[in-house]
Amino acid sequence: MRQLLVFLIPCSVTLCQVSGACPSEVHGALLWPLSVAALALQVLLGKRSNWLHFLSLLLMLWAAQALVLLAPLVPHVEVPMARIGEGVEGIHPIREVPTSEALDGFGGSLVEKGGAIRSISVVLPCAEERENAIRTVERFCRRTPSDILKEVLVVDDGSNPPLVELFKQNDLRLDQDPSCVVRFLRHEVTTGLMAAKLTGGREAQGDVIAFIDCHCAPQENWYQEILEQVRLNPRRMVVPAITDLDMDTFDEHKDSQVNAKCYLTFDADFKWFDDESDFIPTISGGLVAMGREWFNLTGGFDEGMHGWGGENLDQSLRAWLCGGEIVRAKSSRIAHMWRTSDRRTATHYRIKARPTNNRGRVVAAWFGPFREVARSAAVDEAAVQNYASFKERLHCRPFSYFIYRFRKLYLEGGVLARESFQLQEVSSGLCLQTQKLGDCGPGRSRLQLGNVDRSTGKCCSGLRIHGSNNCFDYFDKSGIHPYACDVMGRNMNQQYRLLEDGRLQKGDTDCMVAGSGPLEEDRRAGDQGVPGVSPRACQ
């Protein structure tokens, strides 16, 4: 018994130290000497065979005590946070951000490149979509494997009756289909597209969030390339191939057009275009997918925007200026309903939230010094202070980086004018307008060079109306008709060049000639050298 009691002294010392119940000053001042005294007492009072029997156990207890005592002396090493994308050209390194550091549930860290990205949440913002909503949900559930489709989130933006009631009344009963995990989120008041997207994005649980309009039909395997693209770069937004929806079949129209790419204009709007690159300056807004962590890290959408429009520009700039990128997935096809004269494509809702200047918010938040050339009035900078936290957290670049990143479009494509001018016909002293010659001087329309010259890859092959997104296009008896600029120079109707001798050439051979009425196209001029309009720049 005496041997057992003596042995319990160092045992209790060790337990006290490991549990942290003993004051730190007692560890070295009292308990360690007691442990040594216990062994000495055992040696003096016990028989040799007895204390040798306990020696191995006592040595283990001593080792444990030594580790406890030495642990505080080991210096603490701060593990550096991973910098996703560090060393990759064109990717600005950012630090991982713990969820607790962000407000409203935003934050989180990014998975490593090629990490475990397997599931998709489909977010459908729906305002009075009714039958379209049911058919859209049905298409996504039937054409997405259950192990890939985490959920379909129907965000009911103030529909009356609520969409969940329509799903319950529908014969498909998708709301009870175990292979179709559909959840309903509801705004009692219609607040607009971006607010509904934000609600859905915050609730999404999949590895990837796909924001889809509530009138779309995905094609088979629509999800595959989207997942692959996000795996390649967790900070990547992915735009599918957007095709035309046939309202009769609610599926992709035969011989459908394919769209994916837009660019930001200086009236804080966007225009469709296409080129050889898979990188996209600006999303159109309705269809885009991204990793849930990246959505959270960038703050999702501007909660200060209401209604429709502008959120696509804001989110595109968040990507490009804050360390991300946007690409297209050519094999991921999703048919989209466009608003046409068909009454089935009409809107049936009215936004009841307080209107906001969404374009002005984009300009104020992102344009910086380029606000001077913006054609949309910016709001006061104090109105966009909600951008400050994530801009600082992600070390976002200035707007000039975006212009330089897409310099072929903005500089060689003539979107950003180097100069503006008027063209004056020498004999009459009148200046070239879109329909005919007219008065020159201040306040009259001016021109700038525009569109890439495809023979050189440089600027320019057309004439852009200064202060607009339109270029000189096709020609008929009433004169020149403006149309949205084809910045990549593919539209042959927009081929207008100023020759060194002062003539204005349309296409490869034709020149414009001035008469008493509208401008005329002289198809002989290029071949025979007949002078047409003889313009000179008017300063």
Side-chain angles (χ1 to χ4, degrees), residues 7-82:
F7 170 69
L8 286 177
I9 293 175
C11 183
S12 61
V13 169
T14 303
L15 291 175
C16 181
Q17 292 172 326
V18 172
S19 66
C22 302
S24 59
E25 64 273 11
V26 176
H27 284 182
L30 177 61
L31 297 182
W32 184 257
L34 282 177
S35 167
V36 176
L39 179 61
L41 186 63
Q42 180 68 22
V43 172
L44 292 174
L45 299 180
K47 295 181 180 180
R48 184 173 183 272
S49 59
N50 291 337
W51 69 263
L52 286 176
H53 180 70
F54 285 99
L55 181 60
S56 60
L57 292 175
L58 288 170
L59 289 175
M60 285 191 291
L61 289 172
W62 276 29
Q65 290 174 343
L67 288 175
V68 173
L69 289 173
L70 293 174
L73 303 178
V74 178
H76 177 69
V77 179
E78 186 73 28
V79 178
M81 291 183 176

Side-chain angles (χ1 to χ4, degrees), residues 227-304:
L227 290 174
E228 291 169 3
Q229 293 284 8
V230 178
R231 289 187 190 114
L232 287 172
N233 184 353
R235 291 188 287 168
R236 175 173 282 177
M237 294 169 60
V238 185
V239 178
I242 304 172
T243 61
D244 304 331
L245 183 68
D246 186 333
M247 292 302 293
D248 293 328
T249 63
F250 211 82
D251 215 332
E252 185 176 296
H253 201 288
K254 294 182 179 179
D255 302 320
S256 174
Q257 296 286 327
V258 180
N259 298 283
K261 306 187 68 169
C262 299
Y263 72 92
L264 171 68
T265 59
F266 282 99
D267 54 351
D269 203 348
F270 65 96
K271 294 294 181 184
W272 295 95
F273 86 109
D274 199 7
D275 64 4
E276 295 78 13
S277 170
D278 286 333
F279 291 100
I280 298 176
T282 306
I283 63 176
S284 62
L287 286 73
V288 68
M290 70 198 77
R292 176 165 49 85
E293 287 87 353
W294 180 240
F295 174 80
N296 290 337
L297 199 62
T298 58
F301 296 92
D302 177 4
E303 64 272 16

Side-chain angles (χ1 to χ4, degrees), residues 417-423 444-449 464-467 537-539:
R418 290 184 172 90
E419 62 178 355
S420 65
F421 50 83
Q422 292 177 300
L423 294 176
R444 300 294 179 177
S445 62
R446 300 176 69 84
L447 303 171
Q448 66 188 66
L449 297 178
R464 189 181 185 107
I465 300 172
H466 185 65
C538 300
Q539 302 299 329

